[in-house]
Amino acid sequence: MRRPRLCCLDLDTFFVSVERVLDPRLNGQPVIVGGQPGQRGVVAACSYEVRRLGVRSGMSLTDAGRRAPRAIYLPARQDTYGEFAEQVRTIARRYSPVVQVASIDEMYIDFAGCERLYKKGEDRSDDATIERVVWEMIHDIQDSLGLPASAGIASSRSTAKIASGQAKPAGVLLIPAANEAGFLAPLELRKLPGIGPVAAGKLESVGFRTLGDIATAPLVELRAVLGAWAELVKQSAQGEGVSSLGPERPAFKEQDEDGAVVSSISNERTFSRDVRDTEVLESMLCALSERVCWRARKRGVKGRTVSLKLRTGGFDTLTRSRTVGSATDAENEVYEVVRALLAAARPRLVPVRLVGVALSNLVLDKQLPLLSQRGELQETVDAIRDRFGYESVRLALGKTGKAHKKPGI
Amino acid sequence: MEISVHVPELSKALQRVQGIVEKKSAMPALANALIRTEGKNTITVVATDLEIGVTGRYAANVAVEGSISLGARALYDIVRSLPEREVSLKQLPNRWVEISCGKVNYRLVGSDPDSFPNIPDEEDIKMFPVEPGLVRDMIEKTLYAVCTDETRYNLTGVFCEADPDGERLRMVATDGHRLSVIERPMKHLPQLDTGVIVPRKGLTEVKKLLEDKVEEASMGYTQTSAIFKKDGVTLTMRLVDGRFPDYNQVIPESLEREVVMNRQRFQDALRRTSLLSPNKEQGVKIELESGKIMLSANNPDLGEAREELEVGFEGDPITIGFNFRYLLDALSVLEDDEVVLSLTDELAPGVLTGKTSVGYKAVIMPMRI
């Protein structure tokens, strides 16, 4: 399996840096972007020179004016910053095809599987290769745009983000897989993205001081403070969590974000006009089964109950379920069940307005396989989709609108 | 047909078919037992689900020859509750059958015996004598690991093959998560060029058959079926038509860590710890370090369990997760007082063996923790 390698690239004092590129006289000067002191508004960015005085992004301009009266105050020019940010992304995409924009000055770049592409004789290890390439990218951004950036590389999003913070200014910090837990353990709670002042306060009041405390705490104790969020926070503190960047974003967030615990996974489709043809319905069910199973595999869960939802042209809605012997995440198995359910639920060829497929009674699939259930084919298909999107590989049966044969996985 | 049979004899005959008859089949004959006379002193009792067939010969007094086909479950329930030692079965017109025993009378509706499916006659197959206890032990040590998921058809039986030098019989079962393999020397080995997959249900019946105190049993194979014989009872089963996976590549050859434990204590500790393992996942965590092994489980809804055992282990520590059910299954078929758990790393299969007994290995894939 490929080792996950996520790089969080963060542009240092981005707006200030852009202003300095446009007006080099600002170099070395205390600069605050956002407006003039006394104006309504907040500090959008500030240089390291004024951070020493206690100025922070998000602080009101009045407050900032009090702390740094002699700084150079500039209005924010969002369009200009946007253009620069786009150029940075263009450079990043030269290094890896999978770039996920998190904000105007922050992005995640997936370097998983790039080791051999970039390997050079002098690299002592795969880690060294990736670290060198990320340095090249940082220098590239500095040389061609004049913008300083920092990067963190780790096997999960949150650890990479924390590492990029530690790497500032203009540095690169790669956390080897074996050291991730050790790197995170001594850090204060607020370093973890998602733990704000309120959560940190609550956690501290019951004795948690560092991320290491969280990583080793029993889940029950964390639940008492953080509720449903506990599992995710604990995972992040252990250096686990989102480890790859599928290009699947908002359009397909559906109802289960990574790590969220939901009781079922379902997809449904309303036809543009009512359908009577069983083959068309089956084709759609195949496509929906494929989608549902792919989402289940991405979340690492399997379902024991398969359900079919059917809405007729007359707006009668019915649901039929079947519980299978062992939990599944395989489309061919789910498809066979919903096909049988459809046949039983629709004795006459009534026109159908909507069909849906759901997988419920979910169990976490933590058991490692001794013999792979679907062989390498399925794993390869999922790996391709992780990188190039769900639509890059599809079962033909679900695509054509006509059922030709059973899916052959 | 009219016969008179010793009640315990008929009861035994009918008990033997209960595991085979299909109660829910669309073909009513599959829920029936066929009783057929053979000469004046013998009846045969036959049942099949089309995959497995059982034919047993039993002593009886035959007054009128013939055959009847009756619901196996009802007939068994009747026969075993009869008060006297002798029962008679008499065929009446329209396939009614009268069962009388002392002052007890039943009339049962039978079916046409001619519609009873044929069990292939395997008279010409070469049979090999086997030691019943040995085969039963081999079945017991593999059957639990057979896959119950019909979608993985090729794993729904126990794979049997002769080892390359032709002196031992090897049996292997796996459900894709764990694997059990046993090898035993056998004087007479059938020719098994590629190995065969014997279905789970069939082997369950073989195991039951061999549980009675018996001295002699025999088995034989064809390309498509396996036959077991004992005391006038013949079990015929269709082999699983599929390719068994290359199991050798998943059996680790050398393992980095070995820990010897008292079987009973390990089993008890696992059972106690498992009480707080998450309901659906059945995971327990095992931490091994110098001098001790720690078992723990964490159920987010209930709490945590932890138990420590002292063991004579020296080596690099390791933390690994297992489905406790898989460990307990393997422990329950081991007879040794001491067992050996061998581990390499947290993502590689662990192996459980007896300390002194040889030839049996349980290979178990870990869980992510």
Side-chain angles (χ1 to χ4, degrees):
Chain A
M1 224 182 97
R2 293 187 312 156
R3 241 203 82 185
R5 287 189 185 279
L6 282 187
C7 168
C8 174
L9 180 77
D10 196 357
L11 294 159
D12 301 341
T13 63
F14 178 48
F15 299 167
V16 175
S17 301
V18 173
E19 293 295 346
R20 282 174 171 166
V21 168
L22 299 174
D23 182 359
R25 286 174 304 171
L26 296 172
N27 281 325
Q29 299 291 325
V31 179
I32 291 175
V33 176
Q36 296 300 318
Q39 271 184 344
R40 208 177 272 176
V42 295
V43 175
C46 56
S47 68
Y48 286 107
E49 289 81 3
V50 292
R51 289 192 188 185
R52 272 183 230 124
L53 305 171
V55 179
R56 295 280 177 273
S57 306
M59 183 180 269
S60 77
L61 286 166
T62 315
D63 270 359
R66 220 172 284 136
R67 286 168 198 256
R70 264 179 281 205
I72 300 164
Y73 288 83
L74 299 169
R77 297 188 272 179
Q78 294 296 347
D79 293 352
T80 312
Y81 308 145
E83 284 163 26
F84 272 85
E86 194 44 49
Q87 292 184 50
V88 174
R89 287 165 204 157
T90 307
I91 293 173
R93 283 190 194 103
R94 280 190 226 140
Y95 288 83
S96 166
V98 187
V99 175
Q100 190 182 68
V101 178
S103 69
I104 192 161
D105 61 352
E106 187 182 296
M107 67 197 75
Y108 291 92
I109 306 154
D110 196 342
F111 279 102
C114 293
E115 295 87 351
R116 276 194 289 175
L117 177 66
Y118 288 120
K119 189 154 191 65
K120 277 191 186 169
E122 71 266 21
D123 293 335
R124 279 167 294 117
S125 62
D126 288 349
D127 279 355
T129 304
I130 297 298
E131 192 173 353
R132 177 177 53 73
V133 169
V134 173
W135 269 117
E136 282 171 18
M137 180 173 70
I138 298 276
H139 291 144
D140 206 348
I141 294 167
Q142 176 73 51
D143 295 348
S144 45
L145 302 172
L147 296 173
S150 303
I153 308 141
S155 58
S156 73
R157 250 179 86 123
S158 57
T159 312
K161 162 91 177 146
I162 295 171
S164 77
Q166 303 288 101
K168 278 177 187 299
V172 171
L173 181 59
L174 180 141
I175 315 292
N179 298 355
E180 285 184 351
F183 162 73
L184 294 170
L187 299 179
E188 56 188 87
L189 302 175
R190 289 287 303 276
K191 291 280 182 193
L192 192 71
I195 298 194
V198 177
K202 277 196 210 164
L203 287 166
E204 274 163 11
S205 71
V206 288
F208 295 106
R209 296 273 174 274
T210 64
L211 294 185
D213 295 344
I214 303 263
T216 54
L219 205 49
V220 252
E221 273 179 44
L222 289 176
R223 282 230 175 133
V225 185
L226 299 168
W229 190 240
E231 212 151 336
L232 207 55
V233 169
K234 180 167 167 147
Q235 270 184 9
S236 306
Q238 288 171 328
E240 290 162 12
V242 179
S243 62
S244 72
L245 305 174
E248 308 298 331
R249 282 184 310 279
F252 274 118
K253 266 192 175 160
E254 290 153 302
Q255 71 259 46
D256 58 309
E257 295 198 36
D258 277 334
V261 178
V262 292
S263 55
S264 72
I265 300 173
S266 62
N267 278 82
E268 55 185 46
R269 184 67 66 87
T270 306
F271 296 104
S272 51
R273 66 176 63 125
D274 295 353
V275 172
R276 211 179 273 270
D277 185 340
T278 306
E279 288 193 356
V280 175
L281 293 175
E282 288 183 346
S283 168
M284 181 55 73
L285 288 178
C286 174
L288 293 169
S289 303
E290 191 180 10
R291 180 95 206 166
V292 163
C293 289
W294 173 71
R295 288 170 59 204
R297 289 196 297 271
K298 261 176 81 96
R299 293 230 323 262
V301 296
K302 291 183 176 188
R304 283 199 57 207
T305 304
V306 178
S307 306
L308 165 79
K309 182 174 172 184
L310 201 65
R311 183 169 293 153
T312 64
F315 249 89
D316 292 327
T317 305
L318 47 98
T319 313
R320 296 285 180 270
S321 302
R322 182 179 297 168
T323 299
V324 294
S326 57
T328 181
D329 61 4
E331 43 266 56
N332 51 336
E333 292 173 21
V334 170
Y335 172 63
E336 284 307 320
V337 175
V338 288
R339 209 161 70 111
L341 290 172
L342 175 71
R346 187 168 163 266
R348 288 170 299 115
L349 295 182
V350 288
V352 173
R353 181 186 167 86
L354 169 151
V355 286
V357 173
L359 202 56
S360 58
N361 210 343
L362 301 179
V363 289
L364 273 176
D365 183 25
K366 290 187 179 171
Q367 175 67 50
L368 299 164
L370 190 62
L371 300 156
S372 178
Q373 191 160 5
R374 286 168 302 276
E376 283 169 30
L377 174 63
Q378 194 68 62
E379 279 166 28
T380 308
V381 166
D382 285 354
I384 293 170
R385 285 174 174 174
D386 279 350
R387 200 131 180 147
F388 301 105
Y390 177 73
E391 292 293 336
S392 58
V393 190
R394 287 284 308 279
L395 283 173
L397 173 57
K399 270 282 216 205
T400 56
K402 280 276 183 185
H404 294 304
K405 60 181 173 75
K406 290 182 176 185
I409 286 184
Chain B
M1 188 189 87
E2 188 178 343
I3 56 172
S4 142
V5 199
H6 208 43
V7 170
E9 183 83 348
L10 186 59
S11 180
K12 188 170 80 183
L14 292 168
Q15 186 190 10
R16 214 156 251 162
V17 305
Q18 296 304 315
I20 291 168
V21 288
E22 279 289 329
K23 287 113 201 156
K24 282 181 274 183
S25 171
M27 218 175 133
L30 300 187
N32 283 7
L34 177 74
I35 301 176
R36 202 167 46 197
T37 61
E38 265 185 32
K40 284 288 162 197
N41 301 313
T42 312
I43 53 166
T44 59
V45 178
V46 183
T48 181
D49 66 352
L50 299 181
E51 298 288 325
I52 306 161
V54 61
T55 308
R57 297 156 71 91
Y58 305 91
N61 285 316
V62 178
V64 180
E65 291 188 20
S67 54
I68 51 172
S69 170
L70 285 173
R73 182 78 224 177
L75 187 59
Y76 176 51
D77 287 343
I78 290 170
V79 171
R80 65 177 173 163
S81 64
L82 290 174
E84 308 281 331
R85 300 286 290 167
E86 214 54 35
V87 57
S88 75
L89 281 77
K90 187 180 175 189
Q91 197 172 15
L92 305 175
N94 293 326
R95 301 203 185 97
W96 283 93
V97 175
E98 184 181 51
I99 301 165
S100 17
C101 174
K103 294 184 174 164
V104 182
N105 258 286
Y106 288 92
R107 270 160 51 93
L108 284 187
V109 191
S111 334
D112 179 9
D114 295 333
S115 70
F116 198 85
N118 265 331
I119 292 186
D121 194 14
E122 307 285 2
E123 285 303 318
D124 50 344
I125 289 173
K126 194 163 181 220
M127 299 299 289
F128 298 84
V130 291
E131 205 184 303
L134 184 101
V135 173
R136 194 185 60 225
D137 182 49
M138 292 181 81
I139 295 174
E140 202 159 274
K141 286 191 168 65
T142 46
L143 201 56
Y144 72 85
V146 174
C147 185
T148 52
D149 183 355
E150 293 299 324
T151 57
R152 306 188 75 179
Y153 184 64
N154 61 331
L155 305 184
T156 56
V158 174
F159 182 68
C160 304
E161 66 173 355
D163 77 332
D165 53 26
E167 289 173 357
R168 279 161 299 181
L169 178 70
R170 188 182 297 153
M171 289 173 54
V172 191
T174 180
D175 62 3
H177 296 145
R178 35 89 180 259
L179 175 143
S180 160
V181 53
I182 184 164
E183 219 177 63
R184 289 279 185 263
M186 208 166 264
K187 270 187 224 117
H188 309 277
L189 270 178
Q191 294 298 310
L192 293 170
D193 291 340
T194 51
V196 294
I197 306 171
V198 186
R200 184 170 46 106
K201 187 176 172 186
L203 278 182
T204 310
E205 292 307 313
V206 175
K207 197 180 122 197
K208 277 192 224 160
L209 187 69
L210 299 179
E211 257 156 22
D212 304 344
K213 298 235 177 319
V214 276
E215 300 299 316
E216 270 180 28
S218 59
M219 66 178 181
Y221 294 93
T222 68
Q223 288 297 321
T224 53
S225 52
I227 298 104
F228 290 82
K229 283 189 181 173
K230 190 211 82 172
D231 280 359
V233 179
T234 304
L235 270 168
T236 311
M237 59 206 70
R238 188 181 303 184
L239 296 171
V240 175
D241 182 18
R243 227 185 56 180
F244 202 75
D246 180 10
Y247 63 90
N248 277 308
Q249 66 178 25
V250 301
I251 301 177
E253 295 211 334
S254 64
L255 292 131
E256 286 169 19
R257 301 172 182 81
E258 267 194 14
V259 53
V260 179
M261 282 175 285
N262 178 282
R263 177 173 56 86
Q264 193 63 50
R265 281 177 57 207
F266 185 40
Q267 215 168 355
D268 291 346
L270 261 176
R271 285 213 183 92
R272 280 189 289 265
T273 310
S274 70
L275 297 175
L276 288 193
S277 105
N279 295 339
K280 287 177 181 170
E281 296 163 19
Q282 308 197 315
V284 291
K285 186 157 101 177
I286 292 183
E287 291 162 86
L288 181 62
E289 57 184 71
S290 279
K292 62 182 175 183
I293 188 164
M294 273 152 313
L295 309 178
S296 59
N298 185 339
N299 182 326
D301 298 323
L302 294 173
E304 298 169 336
R306 200 171 166 77
E307 180 159 350
E308 197 178 296
L309 293 174
E310 281 174 24
V311 291
F313 171 76
E314 295 297 329
D316 291 339
I318 182 174
T319 301
I320 190 168
F322 282 111
N323 181 326
F324 70 84
R325 190 51 54 207
Y326 295 168
L327 290 172
L328 286 176
D329 281 347
L331 286 169
S332 70
V333 299
L334 276 164
E335 290 113 14
D336 303 54
D337 289 339
E338 307 262 277
V339 294
V340 185
L341 177 65
S342 312
L343 303 169
T344 295
D345 63 52
E346 64 274 16
L347 298 178
V351 176
L352 202 59
T353 53
K355 188 169 178 234
T356 45
S357 64
V358 287
Y360 169 72
K361 256 184 199 172
V363 181
I364 305 172
M365 204 59 190
M367 289 177 84
R368 281 189 208 93
I369 38 170

